[in-house]
DNA sequence: ATATAAGCGAGACGGTACGTCCTGTCTTTTG
DNA sequence: CAAAAGACAGGACGTACCGTCTCGCTTATAT
């Protein structure tokens, strides 16, 4: 199906849309989720408030979109996980990177903001799963399937469960600040997972 | 938060304190976390706003206290986990109960509210860990240690990690609504965990 | 405002013009002057907002035109005042009719709206005087001149002043609601005027 | 029974009330009635918007109060009209002063604003009549009664009607800008009135 | 037993932000 | 190719709460 120009007949201003998302990103990073006001976004974006309310149902939706849009390009490029042939090595590489990302104070506020929206709005959660989580998981599962083929992972393993065991503890530790996010922790999660799902 | 050791120290009105916590619980259940206003709590509790501000630093702290107080009794009573001698059976019992609790629509809003506070306020997160999570974890670890002694669990297993692998996937699925909370899911988490940490 | 002498000059849509004026009249009657919005007029008239802005400089001008247009026909027809030969009788007839008109709740809102525009916009006031007040006054003065010729009114009387004494008290009483608008009041104004200007 | 402290003691801030009225007066004079915004009044007065909405039902009421308050002192002092014994001389003095006042461009905007409110809000009109118009009329009627006693005015004259004939034409000329406000016009109104109501 | 001071209910205050409405301009689409 | 449809930046509306600040009143020591 040809991509083409957008045949949809909305008269929506792309310029304003971009300005709003950009201003939102900037403000969330600067003052944190709770203190971002629609009025401030509008002012910063040089946009009338109505233009925001016309296209988004809530502040949460704007913030969500702002960061969703940000990640939409990345996902296409970093399409595949490393595959050295050794699943343990590769997972540790990936998990350590994830740990580092979470630990980066720069991303702290935006990620918490995004998470907040997801946790409190079922609609946004659904969007998140479909547009962000699922594609990212697909990439990871691809690598896991490769490991299954290589006999490094149980053939019958439920890959969603594998991912949950791998990532959920890390996520929870970050969310509740219940412990330090270290490379060691990343490694031990990989170890546990591989032990649980070895052939 | 909940008052100090010496109750004679202050002239704080216990009646007002209870009314505030009770009103807060009711309001969170009725309208959800985001829409609870201090003014509404005060009105519902028949209390001046200042009485709230005098004793709690933020709305989050009130909500947090409201539910912390609720759980404070429970923890003492249900002190120990079942111990039939079979760790798999016992964990499945406990996990299924947890799943049921999360799935209960009645507790949906309060637990999300509480989680919200924890995720966004490091101070409350610390309190949560110390007053709620740690005691509950201690009880579970006790049962795990019993399993270690019985040779059903690796002797050297990091029990915090065991609990993380057991509970975090469930928590994340609930938080992000990424799947149904079923007894089957509970069971598979127990299976995975025991496989990862068998002697 | 109402269109120029040469109708071929512009490509203005007469259909739209009529629809706008009609919608304006309806809305003023329904919700009163203060609450009539250009957007509502446009919607009701099935017209783009721009079509209103293209031809009128302000909301006041539209409202003014709407009622000016309404009176434009009437003035030509009811060209002359009754002339029974007795100025007192005739003036009382006319004044009682005026009182009745003002007292009609149906015309309350439109007349107040029109007056509002006149009182607050010098340009509209000038138009009003020229297009509405002057012609109407001319008709009345004609009758007064007839009375002068009949020796019922001082020959040198300033007819503008006569009309002012006759009508201004009535107008003010209506505008400020400072008293009831009755036939008796109409009569006493005629009596006073004739006393002041008898030959 | 001792009077004591004021029992209907509201907690209303007199300071804020004054600041609001003062700011309103200033703004009406500066930008005219139509462009005064509640938000601007609040900002100028250093007051929260709610403090205005708490005590006044509408913008009109604030503006009305602002100018009512202004006139409240004056009325007590300038209690009596001049009484030289010659009603014609005294009325001309007073009417010329009134004409001068209306002609003063300084008072143009406030008086028009006040009139606007009265013309469009029956409640404010009632207040106006009672608090401003009636007391002022009472003073004038006192002088007219003195003239009746001196045989310069018909004993049975309806004094309200006398005042209407005297003032209404002037008021209407000012409101609709239908002619210049001159001393000559003032004089001729006095002449007409005295002719109509001579003994 | 009495003053005295803290805590209390109440609620006004200066503010910030909300979400809606309308203005007057500009752009796109349609008949 | 004119006009409807309607998006846009801007800004005021009136409401809801924030967190602070008196008010009088009650109550519970600490003289």
């Amino acid at each position: 199906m040809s991509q083409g120009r957008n045949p949809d007949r909305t008269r929506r201003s792309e310029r304003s849309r971009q300005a709003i998302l950009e201003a939102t990103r900037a403000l969330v990073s600067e003052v944190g989720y709770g203190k971002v006001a629609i009025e401030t976004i509008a002012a910063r974006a040089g946009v009338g408030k109505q233009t925001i309310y016309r296209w988004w149902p809530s502040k949460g939706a704007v913030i969500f979109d702002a960061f969703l849009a940000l990640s939409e390009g990345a996902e296409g490029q970093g399409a595949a996980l490393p595959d050295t042939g050794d699943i343990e090595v590769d997972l540790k590489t990936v998990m350590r990177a994830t740990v580092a990302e979470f630990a980066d104070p720069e991303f702290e506020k935006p990620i918490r903001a995004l998470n907040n929206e997801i946790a409190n709005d079922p609609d946004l959660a659904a969007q998140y799963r479909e547009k962000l989580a699922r594609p990212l998981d697909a990439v990871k599962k691809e690598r896991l399937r490769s490991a299954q083929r290589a006999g490094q992972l149980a053939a019958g393993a439920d890959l969603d469960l594998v991912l949950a065991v791998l990532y959920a503890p890390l996520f929870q530790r970050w969310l509740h600040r219940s412990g330090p996010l270290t490379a060691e922790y990343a490694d031990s999660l990989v170890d546990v997972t591989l032990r649980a799902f070895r052939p």
Side-chain angles (χ1 to χ4, degrees), chain A residues 35-130:
Chain A
K35 300 196 168 166
V36 173
I38 295 267
E39 296 209 322
T40 319
I41 295 175
R44 172 85 70 111
V47 136
K49 275 202 289 179
Q50 200 59 48
T51 301
I52 299 181
Y53 285 110
R54 191 157 23 234
W55 301 108
W56 286 276
S58 68
K59 185 174 75 168
V62 185
I63 292 178
F64 179 81
D65 255 28
F67 290 99
L68 195 60
L70 200 64
S71 332
E72 243 155 23
E75 136 203 11
Q77 289 136 264
L81 255 47
D83 191 344
T84 64
D86 183 339
I87 187 66
E88 181 184 341
V89 165
D90 292 348
L91 282 183
K92 285 186 176 172
T93 303
V94 168
M95 286 293 282
R96 283 168 179 233
T98 304
V99 157
E101 197 180 335
F102 273 121
D104 182 347
E106 178 80 3
F107 286 115
E108 177 80 8
K109 279 192 272 197
I111 308 182
R112 292 205 113 90
L114 184 55
N115 189 76
N116 224 303
E117 297 311 323
I118 295 163
N120 290 298
D121 184 331
D123 288 351
L124 296 181
Q127 271 195 67
Y128 165 78
R129 287 194 308 274
E130 214 158 299

Side-chain angles (χ1 to χ4, degrees), chain A residues 2 9 16 18 26 38 40 45 51 61 66 68 73 84 97 105 112-113 116 133 136 144 152 159 161 171 193 196:
Chain A
S2 83
R9 76 277 94 71
S16 292
Q18 291 295 353
I38 295 267
T40 319
T51 301
L68 195 60
T84 64
R112 292 205 113 90
N116 224 303
L136 290 174
L144 293 178
Q152 296 175 340
L159 297 187
L161 193 56
F171 169 76
T193 305

